[in-house]
């Protein structure tokens, strides 16, 4: 039987772990398994065509919140041209309200809910062992097809004509029988409590592919709570050559379950926490790294839930000295001194931590059944940030029960104050099966009834406020998380918004709305120009006013004609939401432009300077003299050891020197500073060296 395992990933670089588990658990059976992945950016008709040409007898789709709608479109196309194709769906998006899903989607024949390895294995085993697959007519016994022949699938209005004797024996399977939907009991995931399946023996169709850790040919798989019984999921990929995996994000798990039960998370629908053995984990990671995998994302819900295990895996990874990056989702308030001490020694760039803050409001956390020590979490993140070797990504969620717009702002400013590398402002989604969805009416939620089930408003936050937060999230991505203009924006936050990043993004988003900038695309240069004009709108009067520097933008960037988007006042009768700011004095605005100039030069090597950029105070003769000094190898060895190997010609060709009235890292005080920008080949951002005349390190 030809079985296609497929899904629509969010991005091409993502690798679906679930499909590989299913394939691994059935690699000893007599079926032909075909794994083919697509993305949500592919056209459904193109995906359907590719699957059609694969000629599967059964197509199994892995379904998630981001891909369920295009997946169903693909299935409908396939069922139109191949009504005999049997379609099986699994994954978190179809694991809840299964009966309702099947009733509304007659094109789907079967659904596997929850963890799929055991039900899928049971189904595939029964289909492999039983020649009688379909019941051709009501009232007639099933007949066996010819050996090696094509299975015939009759279709009737009452559902697919699968042999109910096979389907009724598959745990966790929902299926159709004579127009009715049958839902089998879920499998018992207690370790070693489930039926065992025979592992492949030498010389079979798996052609020597690895078994699970510590498992010999002829032993058994207990596909229940014992996670080590699940074979290594990437064996086929590595056997075929790992070139494809080396260019993609490989997903891997060391545990299943979560110690928490947050009301908005699917983890709240399960209990218990199970682990793969450390020996198994180490063996798997060795194989992936030896094959050249460069990026591994651990999908454990809380990687450091078990301190000793987390430390053991981190220590193991560091000991391998890999040329790879590893991503972990952790609870930062569970880090202790032992863990922090070790993390200080991790090589820079090896680890990235994703930390779910969501909110700092303890009452809101209580409504979500969350336990979080914000004071400890923030203190630990500050320590990690000071170490400087681990990239930190912190999450917030807008729309949590009882949290107001002002409350979101308070959480945002608290997180911004500890300076993570990235802040994600997400929006609450009322996922099927979660406690918050069951209590939606209690909190006055208005939300999308279709994926992604996003909250539009609640009794605590209005739709208008949620829309404003969406606009601010856009600004956060363009300016904050990109670090496009950190020095200028940081100065603006302090000088005009009293240190509130939230108020700054609020005002910036409102200004973008006024100028209708959200309606078009923007280059990096555009983003700098918009920020310059926005700062100009915060002039002495507190109303939009374009000084000479910003006026140059309008003239130089639009062929000599003033750009209306830079000078438009707020619409009549509408107050700018971000109007709460201290107007910038001329000195503050000039200092802002100096910092924006610095940020621009860090990113742009074109030397085609925008109109708002303050003119250089260096003459060409002075600039040439300074560059000649920097080109001297002895000078670079003393003051710029990172460039001591560069040829003098490269220094002149790829370098640029500029004078600033302040040190960009300490803009509050006057401190004349020379900055050398080196745009080495292949660098998207300049290497920056601070100098003070006469060429002393600052």
């Amino acid at each position: 039987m030809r079985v296609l395992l497929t899904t629509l990933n969010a991005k091409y670089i993502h690798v679906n772990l679930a499909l590989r588990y299913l394939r691994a658990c059935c690699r000893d059976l007599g079926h032909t398994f075909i794994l083919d992945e697509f993305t949500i950016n592919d056209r459904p008709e193109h995906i359907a065509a590719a699957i059609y040409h694969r000629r599967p007898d059964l197509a199994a789709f892995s379904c998630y919140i981001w891909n369920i709608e295009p997946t169903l479109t693909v299935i409908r196309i396939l069922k139109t041209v191949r009504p005999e194709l049997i379609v099986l769906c699994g994954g978190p998006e179809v694991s809840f309200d299964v009966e309702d899903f099947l009733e509304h989607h007659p094109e789907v024949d079967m659904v596997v809910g929850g963890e799929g390895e055991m039900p899928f294995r049971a189904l595939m085993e029964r289909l492999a062992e039983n020649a009688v697959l379909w019941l051709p007519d009501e009232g007639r016994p099933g007949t066996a097809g010819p050996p090696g022949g094509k299975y015939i699938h009759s279709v009737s209005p009452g559902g697919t004509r699968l042999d109910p004797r096979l389907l009724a024996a598959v745990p966790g399977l929902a299926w159709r029988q004579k127009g009715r939907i049958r839902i089998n009991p879920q499998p018992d995931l207690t370790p070693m409590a489930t039926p065992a399946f025979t592992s492949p023996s030498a010389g079979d169709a798996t052609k020597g592919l690895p078994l699970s850790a510590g498992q010999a040919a002829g032993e058994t798989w207990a596909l229940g709570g014992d996670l080590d019984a699940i074979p290594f999921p990437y064996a086929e990929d590595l056997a075929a050559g790992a070139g494809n995996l080396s260019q993609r994000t490989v997903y891997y798990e060391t545990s299943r379950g979560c110690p928490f039960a947050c009301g908005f998370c699917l983890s709240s629908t399960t209990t218990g926490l199970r682990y793969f053995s450390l020996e198994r984990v180490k063996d798997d990671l060795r194989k992936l790294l030896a094959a050249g995998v460069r990026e591994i994302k651990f999908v454990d819900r809380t990687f450091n839930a078990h301190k000793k295990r987390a430390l053991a895996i981190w220590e193991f990874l560091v000991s391998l000295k890999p040329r790879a990056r590893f991503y972990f989702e952790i609870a930062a308030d569970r880090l202790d001194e032992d863990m922090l001490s070790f993390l200080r020694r991790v090589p820079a760039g090896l680890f990235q931590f994703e930390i779910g803050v969501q909110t700092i409001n303890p009452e809101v956390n209580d409504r979500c059944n969350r336990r979080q020590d914000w004071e400890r979490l923030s203190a630990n993140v500050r320590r990690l940030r000071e170490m400087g070797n681990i990239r930190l990504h912190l999450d917030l969620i807008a729309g949590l029960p009882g949290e107001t717009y002002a409350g979101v702002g308070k959480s945002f400013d608290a997180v911004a104050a500890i300076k993570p590398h990235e802040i994600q402002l997400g929006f609450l989604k009322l996922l099927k099966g979660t406690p918050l969805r069951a209590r939606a009416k209690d909190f006055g939620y208005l939300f999308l009834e279709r994926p992604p089930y996003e909250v539009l408003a609640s009794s605590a936050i209005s739709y208008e406020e949620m829309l404003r937060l969406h606009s601010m999230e856009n600004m956060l991505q363009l300016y904050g998380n990109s670090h496009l203009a950190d020095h200028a924006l940081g100065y603006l936050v302090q000088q005009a918004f009293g240190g509130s990043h939230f108020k700054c993004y609020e005002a910036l988003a409102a200004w973008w709305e006024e100028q209708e900038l959200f309606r078009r695309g923007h280059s990096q240069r555009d983003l700098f120009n918009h920020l310059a004009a926005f700062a100009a709108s915060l002039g002495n009067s507190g109303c939009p006013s374009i000084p000479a520097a910003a006026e140059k933008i309008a003239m130089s960037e639009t062929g000599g004609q003033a750009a209306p988007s830079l000078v438009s006042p707020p619409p009549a009768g509408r107050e700018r939401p971000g109007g709460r700011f201290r107007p910038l004095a001329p000195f503050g605005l000039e200092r802002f432009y100096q910092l924006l100039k610095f940020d621009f030069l860090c990113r742009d090597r074109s030397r085609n300077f925008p109109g708002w950029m303050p003119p250089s105070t260096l003459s060409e003769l002075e600039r040439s003299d300074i560059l000649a000094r920097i080109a001297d190898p002895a000078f670079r060895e003393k003051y710029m050891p990172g460039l001591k190997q560069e040829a003098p010609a490269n220094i002149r060709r790829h370098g640029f020197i500029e004078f600033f009235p302040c040190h960009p890292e300490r803009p509050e005080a006057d401190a004349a500073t020379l900055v050398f920008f080196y745009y080495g080949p292949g660098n998207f951002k300049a290497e920056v060296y601070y100098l003070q005349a006469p060429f002393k390190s600052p």
Side-chain angles (χ1 to χ4, degrees):
M1 186 176 189
R2 291 174 62 82
V3 179
L4 178 78
L5 303 170
T6 190
T7 192
L8 281 64
N9 293 322
K11 297 179 181 179
Y12 169 77
I13 62 170
H14 296 168
V15 172
N16 188 276
L17 178 59
L19 296 180
R20 287 166 170 80
Y21 274 140
L22 299 183
R23 179 177 63 182
C25 285
C26 299
R27 63 168 60 119
D28 62 313
L29 301 178
H31 304 300
T32 298
F33 289 96
I34 307 158
L35 194 150
D36 205 355
E37 296 172 276
F38 305 91
T39 78
I40 56 176
N41 297 316
D42 296 325
R43 293 176 63 88
E45 55 268 33
H46 294 166
I47 299 173
I51 293 174
Y52 175 85
H53 286 125
R54 292 285 197 174
R55 295 291 191 268
D57 299 301
L58 183 149
F61 291 83
S62 189
C63 303
Y64 304 88
I65 192 172
W66 63 81
N67 75 5
I68 184 63
E69 295 202 334
T71 295
L72 289 170
T73 301
V74 170
I75 293 171
R76 284 190 286 268
I77 295 172
L78 288 169
K79 279 292 196 175
T80 299
V81 296
R82 282 199 58 196
E84 79 281 1
L85 175 67
I86 194 71
V87 171
L88 170 67
C89 287
E93 183 53 27
V94 298
S95 291
F96 303 93
D97 299 332
V98 176
E99 185 171 0
D100 180 74
F101 175 79
L102 285 173
E103 285 179 351
H104 284 85
H105 300 287
E107 64 273 18
V108 177
D109 299 307
M110 298 182 290
V111 168
V112 168
E115 294 186 19
E117 292 91 356
M118 185 180 180
F120 188 76
R121 165 81 193 197
L123 176 63
M124 293 297 103
E125 186 177 48
R126 281 156 179 78
L127 297 183
E129 293 174 351
N130 291 269
V132 179
L133 179 61
W134 314 114
L135 291 180
D137 294 302
E138 291 292 340
R140 292 178 56 188
T143 57
K150 182 175 179 60
Y151 291 105
I152 304 300
H153 175 202
S154 297
V155 180
S156 71
T160 60
R161 306 287 288 281
L162 289 166
D163 187 338
R165 293 168 295 177
L166 299 180
L167 302 185
V170 177
L173 184 71
W175 49 289
R176 303 177 189 277
Q177 183 183 24
K178 298 181 180 179
R180 299 181 62 185
I181 296 171
R182 304 288 188 183
I183 302 177
N184 299 342
Q186 286 291 321
D188 185 356
L189 295 180
T190 304
M192 304 307 294
T194 55
F197 301 102
T198 304
S199 69
S201 56
D204 68 5
T206 61
K207 298 181 181 179
L209 288 176
L211 306 175
S212 56
Q215 182 182 35
E219 292 182 350
T220 58
W221 290 335
L223 296 180
D226 182 9
L227 295 183
D228 274 6
I230 303 173
F232 176 55
Y234 292 102
E236 284 81 357
D237 295 277
L238 301 190
N244 187 37
L245 290 184
S246 67
Q247 305 300 319
R248 303 175 71 183
T249 301
V250 171
Y251 290 83
Y252 184 79
E253 65 181 350
T254 73
S255 65
R256 289 185 181 178
C258 184
F260 306 110
C262 303
F264 49 77
C265 181
L266 286 177
S267 295
S268 64
T269 64
T270 61
T271 58
L273 189 56
R274 294 170 290 144
Y275 298 97
F276 288 88
S277 68
L278 280 176
E279 294 74 16
R280 162 66 185 274
V281 170
K282 291 178 180 180
D283 186 58
D284 288 355
L285 292 173
R286 280 194 197 96
K287 294 172 184 174
L288 291 171
L289 294 172
V293 170
R294 292 289 177 262
E295 191 165 279
I296 298 177
K297 184 169 184 177
F298 289 80
V299 294
D300 304 62
R301 275 72 175 272
T302 308
F303 186 82
N304 62 325
H306 191 301
K307 171 187 170 180
K308 290 184 178 180
R309 276 182 56 89
L311 269 175
I313 295 170
W314 286 340
E315 289 169 351
F316 172 73
L317 291 173
V318 171
S319 73
L320 296 179
K321 300 180 180 179
R323 297 176 59 189
R325 294 187 300 271
F326 304 95
Y327 298 79
F328 307 90
E329 186 170 345
I330 69 163
D333 54 351
R334 294 174 73 101
L335 296 174
D336 63 12
E337 288 302 320
D338 292 337
M339 304 180 95
L340 290 167
S341 176
F342 170 78
L343 291 171
R344 184 178 295 277
R345 305 192 300 272
V346 171
L350 191 65
F351 291 174
Q352 173 172 312
F353 288 164
E354 181 173 346
I355 300 166
V357 177
Q358 321 312 3
T359 179
I360 67 167
N361 187 322
E363 294 180 356
V364 174
N365 273 324
D366 285 343
R367 295 186 194 105
C368 298
N369 194 35
R370 298 187 76 238
R371 303 189 304 277
Q372 177 176 273
D373 185 339
W374 165 246
E375 295 302 323
R376 183 173 181 181
L377 185 155
S378 58
N380 285 343
V381 170
R382 283 191 178 92
R383 291 180 63 179
L384 290 171
R385 191 68 174 90
E386 290 167 2
M387 295 175 193
N389 57 337
I390 297 173
R391 185 171 178 82
L392 303 171
H393 170 118
L394 270 61
D395 295 329
L396 291 168
I397 296 179
L400 292 174
E403 182 146 70
T404 63
Y405 178 82
V408 175
K410 184 177 180 180
S411 292
F412 188 95
D413 278 336
V415 168
I418 55 181
K419 299 182 178 179
H421 299 90
E422 187 172 358
I423 300 174
Q424 178 175 318
L425 177 58
F427 296 86
L428 181 63
K429 297 170 178 60
L430 296 183
L431 304 177
K432 292 180 180 179
T434 58
L436 279 188
R437 184 174 178 120
R439 299 186 60 196
K441 291 184 179 179
D442 296 345
F443 302 111
Y445 278 127
L446 303 177
F447 66 100
L448 298 174
E449 295 287 347
R450 300 177 65 85
Y453 313 114
E454 189 170 289
V455 165
L456 304 174
S458 74
S459 56
I461 192 166
S462 70
Y463 182 49
E464 175 68 29
E465 290 169 330
M466 290 293 277
L467 290 176
R468 194 180 304 163
L469 290 172
H470 275 283
S471 296
M472 293 169 61
E473 192 273 337
N474 198 320
M475 296 294 92
L476 176 64
Q477 294 300 324
L478 291 176
Y479 289 104
N481 291 336
S482 70
H483 301 283
L484 183 72
D486 281 352
H487 297 81
L489 198 60
Y491 182 81
L492 201 63
V493 166
Q494 296 302 321
Q495 297 300 313
F497 297 96
S500 173
H501 289 79
F502 185 80
K503 291 180 181 178
C504 182
Y505 282 116
E506 180 185 44
L508 181 58
W511 186 84
W512 269 56
E513 289 279 4
E514 292 162 7
Q515 313 305 321
E516 298 184 350
L517 296 176
F518 285 113
R519 298 188 177 187
R520 55 180 185 264
H522 305 276
S523 67
Q524 177 177 277
R525 188 182 184 90
D526 291 336
L527 295 176
F528 277 107
N529 291 342
H530 298 330
L531 191 56
F534 167 68
S537 77
L538 306 178
N540 284 324
S541 65
C543 299
S545 60
I546 306 298
E551 187 66 40
K552 290 181 182 179
I553 306 171
M555 301 300 290
S556 64
E557 304 294 328
T558 59
Q561 295 184 352
S565 66
L566 298 179
V567 297
S568 300
R574 178 179 172 184
E575 180 182 357
R576 179 182 294 179
R580 295 164 292 177
F581 60 86
R582 294 197 297 263
L584 283 175
F587 171 82
L589 193 58
E590 171 62 23
R591 184 59 48 97
F592 167 83
Y593 283 130
Q594 290 286 349
L595 294 169
L596 192 62
K597 173 181 179 178
F598 172 83
D599 290 325
F600 181 87
L601 291 175
C602 285
R603 298 275 185 167
D604 192 298
R605 65 173 72 197
S606 69
R607 304 190 190 181
N608 178 22
F609 305 132
W612 53 262
M613 183 179 286
S616 177
T617 59
L618 291 176
S619 68
E620 286 305 313
L621 182 61
E622 290 172 322
R623 193 184 306 277
S624 178
D625 180 61
I626 295 170
L627 281 173
R629 295 285 302 277
I630 293 174
D632 181 1
F635 174 84
R636 281 182 281 122
E637 185 171 4
K638 183 176 182 180
Y639 296 112
M640 303 175 176
L643 296 179
K644 66 180 181 179
Q645 300 299 328
E646 291 292 338
N650 283 342
I651 294 295
R652 294 188 181 91
R653 181 181 303 114
H654 301 300
F656 184 75
I657 190 77
E658 188 53 280
F659 175 85
F660 292 89
C662 63
H663 194 294
E665 307 298 337
R666 299 182 292 274
E668 296 81 9
D670 292 335
T673 305
L674 285 170
V675 181
F676 180 67
F677 301 88
Y678 184 67
Y679 309 98
N683 291 348
F684 78 95
K685 189 175 181 182
E687 297 177 42
V688 174
Y689 295 88
Y690 297 114
L691 303 168
Q692 290 178 346
F695 307 111
K696 293 181 180 179
S697 297

